[in-house]
Amino acid sequence: MKLSIVLSTHAAQFAAATFKGDFAANVAKIAALGYDGVELAIRDPRLVNADDLARVIAAYGLVVPAIGTGQAWGEEGLSFTSADPAIRRAAIERIKSHIPLAARLNAVVILGLIRGITPKGQKPEQSMTYLVEALQECSAAAAPAGVRYALEPLNRYETDLIHTVADGLDLIARVGADNFGLLLDTFHMNIEEPSVEGSIRQAAGRTFHFHVADSNRWHPGAGHLDFRAILDTLFTAGFSGFVSGEFLPQPDADTAAQRAIGHLRSLAIR
Ligand code: LER
Ligand code: MN
């Protein structure tokens, strides 16, 4: 099992990015704890120096399995489903602007809250039309570079759009692009899926990335999710990507990261 953990390259409000702050110091810490990779949360690729970033990560023998983009929503309000065409266009261009760095790092680009929330007065079907159009445009732009996008079903308290694997698979059928798939997150699945293991099996072959947090969004082992059953199902279904920790820095970031890897490695899954 290849393990990574979310690391924000810049200050961000998102609470479940376990590590924030000094980039090189955090990469060093994550490598020392035994992780194989870092999932980078990047609001805008123009804010990072790709050479510096790649050098620091390689120096510690890590890789970047995925790039998170949700801060463009959290900090700037960019969204694929805004009623304002200029905001929709800015969101699409921002997501396409991740392609060169993602290609260089061989990272999946995550689409979480960038899908937005249906604005007041707009019909959800209209949001879905905007969403499908945006995803088709981004996927077509990324395909020649070999870059893949992974949309994350999110729980009902964060968005009205795409809560479950079933919703995600319907969306995949509408988008119709081979480089568009899903990111499954155990925290959201525990809230929304009829069966966590059943939904993991349904998404087999289209799961490009996987987030782990326990039922309380603390590190795996701090709540009541059965990670042995969950991860065994995931790998039996043919998943070959990274399992990435995205959980609250509780009781603090270092302890949470250490306990997470301790718990997940103790399951001895693959
Ligand atoms: C991001 O990966 C996530 O899981 C969301 O909860 C962000 O709001
Ligand atoms: Mn997540």
Side-chain angles (χ1 to χ4, degrees):
M1 177 164 50
K2 293 174 289 183
L3 291 176
S4 57
I5 189 162
V6 174
L7 170 59
S8 192
T9 56
H10 289 79
Q13 292 171 41
F14 179 46
T18 311
F19 284 104
K20 299 169 193 170
D22 186 323
F23 183 73
N26 280 327
V27 171
K29 238 189 247 179
I30 289 165
L33 286 170
Y35 285 87
D36 309 292
V38 274
E39 174 184 319
L40 298 179
I42 302 179
R43 175 165 70 77
D44 183 341
R46 285 175 301 191
L47 299 176
V48 300
N49 179 316
D51 291 333
D52 285 352
L53 192 137
R55 191 164 3 88
V56 171
I57 286 163
Y60 290 97
L62 299 181
V63 297
V64 179
I67 296 172
T69 62
Q71 291 168 11
W73 158 264
E75 313 283 322
E76 296 175 70
L78 300 188
S79 146
F80 286 158
T81 57
S82 168
D84 180 343
I87 295 179
R88 295 200 301 276
R89 177 50 40 201
I92 291 170
E93 295 307 326
R94 177 65 59 81
I95 290 305
K96 291 201 290 193
S97 78
H98 282 275
I99 294 169
L101 183 60
R104 174 174 178 169
L105 297 172
N106 194 24
V108 172
V109 178
I110 295 171
L111 304 176
L113 277 170
I114 194 79
R115 66 171 151 302
I117 301 171
T118 298
K120 218 164 173 261
Q122 182 169 293
K123 291 199 161 61
E125 304 85 72
Q126 180 64 68
S127 301
M128 287 303 293
T129 302
Y130 290 148
L131 181 58
V132 170
E133 286 170 1
L135 294 170
Q136 285 174 332
E137 180 175 338
C138 292
S139 300
V147 169
R148 299 184 301 165
Y149 287 109
L151 185 123
E152 181 177 26
L154 298 173
N155 74 70
R156 68 191 69 181
Y157 306 108
E158 296 195 24
T159 178
D160 62 313
L161 303 163
I162 318 295
H163 297 146
T164 61
V165 162
D167 295 340
L169 293 175
D170 286 347
L171 182 64
I172 286 174
R174 284 180 70 175
V175 172
D178 289 343
N179 61 333
F180 176 63
L182 299 179
L183 154 59
L184 306 188
D185 181 325
T186 56
F187 171 71
H188 300 296
M189 296 188 94
N190 182 54
I191 297 171
E192 296 294 346
E193 300 296 340
S195 154
V196 173
E197 287 84 3
S199 296
I200 288 171
R201 279 190 283 269
Q202 275 174 13
R206 288 315 275 249
T207 303
F208 292 170
H209 192 54
F210 201 80
H211 278 168
V212 282
D214 218 317
S215 48
N216 45 11
R217 218 172 203 182
W218 282 39
H219 60 83
H224 57 73
L225 292 187
D226 180 351
F227 282 99
R228 177 168 282 120
I230 290 170
L231 295 172
D232 193 46
T233 304
L234 180 69
F235 289 108
T236 302
F239 181 72
S240 60
F242 268 70
V243 169
S244 202
E246 183 193 56
F247 40 77
L248 297 167
Q250 295 289 348
D252 59 76
D254 295 5
T255 309
Q258 189 178 19
R259 288 183 184 166
I261 196 166
H263 184 69
L264 295 172
R265 291 277 185 235
S266 78
L267 303 174
I269 291 173
R270 283 155 222 247

